[in-house]
Amino acid sequence: LALSPSALAQPTLCEAVDNCTLTWNTSGDAPWFGQTGVTTDSVDAAQSGVLGDNQNSVMETTVTGPATVMFLWKVSSEEDYDFLEFTDNGTLISEISGDVNWTLVNTT
């Protein structure tokens, strides 16, 4: 008996971002989730839900600092209109838009 990939349990959000010591929250029109289809490590990654015009999807955690934050991100969106953003307490740190392959973000 073989199971289809969709029958397998998907990773939790903390497993997908490889950090279960932090609490991850998701909100917005299409919450983030763990998945195994598009990854950098052939294991898993976090992904936002599908968004329409004027919608958003938020994934957040709290880090007590100072701290170095590093992650890889990728986006496929309408260039210059739909953005994947990294913020710190509401301050925009970095953003990408269009079709951008996995890119390292490293900030202190």
Side-chain angles (χ1 to χ4, degrees), residues 32-47:
W32 287 75
F33 58 94
Q35 54 82 34
T36 59
V38 179
T39 73
T40 62
D41 62 4
S42 300
V43 178
D44 53 19
Q47 178 178 328

Side-chain angles (χ1 to χ4, degrees), residues 11-90:
T12 64
L13 197 52
C14 78
E15 291 168 338
V17 298
D18 299 326
N19 189 330
C20 287
T21 60
L22 297 173
T23 300
W24 296 91
N25 299 303
T26 183
S27 62
D29 298 294
W32 287 75
F33 58 94
Q35 54 82 34
T36 59
V38 179
T39 73
T40 62
D41 62 4
S42 300
V43 178
D44 53 19
Q47 178 178 328
S48 76
V50 176
L51 297 171
D53 290 341
N54 300 312
Q55 292 187 321
N56 70 11
S57 182
V58 176
M59 180 175 64
E60 63 185 0
T61 193
T62 300
V63 177
T64 303
T68 298
V69 176
M70 292 185 349
F71 58 91
L72 291 161
W73 63 354
K74 171 183 175 132
V75 70
S76 179
S77 69
E78 187 176 3
E79 190 168 4
D80 298 326
Y81 290 97
D82 299 323
F83 296 90
L84 178 58
E85 300 176 340
F86 171 56
T87 63
D88 180 4
N89 287 323

